Amino acid sequence: MNIIAVIGAGTMGNGIAHVFAQNGFQVHLIDVSKEALDRGLATIAKNLDRMVAKEKISETDKDNTLANIKSFTELKAGVSKVDLAIEAATENMTIKLKIFKELDEVCDATTILASNTSSISITQIAAATSRPEKVIGMHFMNPVPIMKLVEIIRGYSTSNETTTAIMELSKKLGKTPTEVNDYPGFVANRILMPMINEAIETLHHGVAGVQEIDTVMKLGMAHPMGPLQLADFIGLDVCLSILNVMHDGFKNPKYAPSPLLVNMVMAGKKGVKSGEGFYDYAESRKAEVVSSQFTN
C-alpha cells in the first residue's frame, strides 16, 4: 500500500493523515469544507513543529511529511487510485453509511475501505457496500501521533487477507494493532464508556466533586487522566453517541447514558472542543478550573 485516503480532516482525520504521511505514505486528505482542510493541515504543521522542538524529528522530516499530504474537497478525486480509504467522519451511522456507499461506487475494486469508528458496527457499514470482505475497522486512539494502539475490527464478512494486510500496515506506522470482533463499543469503549458514565453518575448523585472523582481515579487506580477530564478531552457529545450505540446494540440499561451527560450535551457543554465541560477551558486547555456549574 502506497496511497492512503483519509475522509474527514477533524481531530482524528488529521491525526491519521499525519501518521501515514510521517511514515512515507502518500496521503489524500478529504473534506467537504476547505476551511476544515486548512484547519487540519495547520494542526498537523503545529504538531510537527512541536516534535521538531523536542528533537524527535528534523525540519527536513517535517517538510517531507507535509509534502506527502494533498487535500481534496471532492471525494471522487481524492480516492482515485488509492490503496486504502479510511473514513474518519462524525460518529453517526447515517453519515457513515452514506460515505461508504459513495466510496464503494467510486473506489477501485481492489481498494480496502476502513472506518475509524469507535463503536458502530463494521458489519452494518460493510453491508452498504458490494465488497464487505474488504471493509474493516481501524480504531485509532486520540491523539493519533502519540497513542500506540489501533483496534482492528473484523466485520462478519471481513476476509483474512484484508485483516492481515491492515494488521501489517498498522505495524509499519509504529502502532500496535489488536484484533477484536464486531460488537458495540468493541473492547476499548465497551470498558471505558461505562466507567466514564459511572463517574458522571457519581458526580450527579453528589457522592463527590469533579476534582475529587478524578483524583481518586488518578491516584488510587493509577490512571493518567481522571474519567471526567478524559470525557472532556474525548468530547461529551462523542461519549453520548457511543453510549447510545451500546445501549441500542445491547438493549441493556447499564449502558444508558447519565441524564447529566445528556443535559450537558444539549446545553452545548461538550468539553475541550466547546471551551467548557466538567472543567472550564477559557484560560487553558488543561483541566485546572472546575466548571462553575459544579462549584456552587
Side-chain angles (χ1 to χ4, degrees):
M1 294 188 193
N2 297 307
I3 307 176
I4 313 296
V6 180
I7 298 92
T11 300
M12 296 305 295
N14 70 61
I16 294 167
H18 173 160
V19 168
F20 273 101
Q22 190 177 333
N23 284 278
F25 292 88
Q26 297 299 306
V27 177
H28 294 182
L29 184 59
I30 306 165
D31 201 294
V32 294
S33 165
K34 184 179 183 304
E35 291 74 20
L37 285 168
D38 290 342
R39 286 195 301 271
L41 291 169
T43 298
I44 294 170
K46 181 180 178 182
N47 289 335
L48 289 168
D49 284 335
R50 188 177 293 116
M51 296 176 77
V52 170
K54 293 180 179 179
E55 299 185 344
K56 292 184 176 181
I57 63 172
S58 67
E59 281 286 351
T60 300
D61 293 330
K62 172 194 168 183
D63 293 341
N64 290 340
T65 297
L66 292 173
N68 284 337
I69 305 173
K70 295 180 181 178
S71 60
F72 297 81
T73 54
E74 293 291 333
L75 183 68
K76 186 174 182 179
V79 299
S80 176
K81 306 300 181 184
V82 303
D83 302 300
L84 169 67
I86 305 174
E87 168 272 319
T90 304
E91 194 72 353
N92 177 285
M93 176 63 83
T94 302
I95 292 172
K96 291 188 186 294
L97 292 180
K98 181 177 183 293
I99 290 172
F100 272 82
K101 188 174 185 299
E102 292 179 14
L103 287 173
D104 187 47
E105 292 170 354
V106 299
C107 287
D108 290 347
T110 56
T111 302
I112 293 175
L113 308 181
S115 176
N116 182 59
T117 179
S118 55
S119 61
I120 294 173
S121 168
I122 299 300
T123 301
Q124 187 172 355
I125 290 172
T129 76
S130 62
R131 62 181 90 189
E133 74 285 352
K134 289 185 174 296
V135 178
I136 195 165
M138 291 184 77
H139 179 208
F140 290 84
M141 304 293 129
N142 185 28
V144 181
I146 296 172
M147 302 293 279
K148 291 290 186 183
L149 177 67
V150 183
E151 272 189 311
I152 306 299
I153 305 102
R154 293 184 67 136
Y156 186 83
S157 301
T158 306
S159 69
N160 290 333
E161 292 77 11
T162 296
T163 304
T164 299
I166 296 302
M167 294 284 283
E168 291 304 313
L169 178 67
S170 300
K171 291 175 185 176
K172 290 179 181 177
L173 301 176
K175 302 299 185 184
T176 302
T178 303
E179 183 182 335
V180 305
N181 290 318
D182 189 19
Y183 291 92
F186 315 132
V187 172
N189 282 320
R190 183 169 180 170
I191 295 170
L192 174 63
M193 287 302 154
M195 183 192 75
I196 286 176
N197 199 46
E198 195 62 31
I200 297 171
E201 280 289 86
T202 301
L203 175 66
H204 186 44
H205 292 151
V207 179
V210 171
Q211 288 182 317
E212 288 75 14
I213 291 168
D214 278 353
T215 298
V216 167
M217 296 305 292
K218 286 189 289 185
L219 301 186
M221 310 303 164
H223 290 197
M225 188 181 294
L228 300 177
Q229 180 186 358
L230 181 56
D232 275 356
F233 181 73
I234 293 168
L236 301 190
D237 54 334
V238 176
C239 294
L240 179 59
S241 293
I242 295 169
L243 283 164
N244 282 333
V245 167
M246 293 169 65
H247 189 221
D248 291 343
F250 289 117
K251 303 294 190 275
N252 189 323
K254 76 176 182 178
Y255 298 113
S258 167
L260 174 58
L261 174 62
V262 175
N263 283 342
M264 290 179 70
V265 173
M266 286 195 297
K269 309 296 185 182
K270 299 177 182 179
V272 176
K273 69 174 73 175
S274 69
E276 186 180 357
F278 295 105
Y279 294 87
D280 189 324
Y281 301 94
E283 300 297 329
S284 170
R285 288 175 63 89
K286 295 180 181 180
E288 297 173 332
V289 179
V290 173
S291 172
S292 61
Q293 65 182 313
F294 301 115
T295 57
N296 297 328

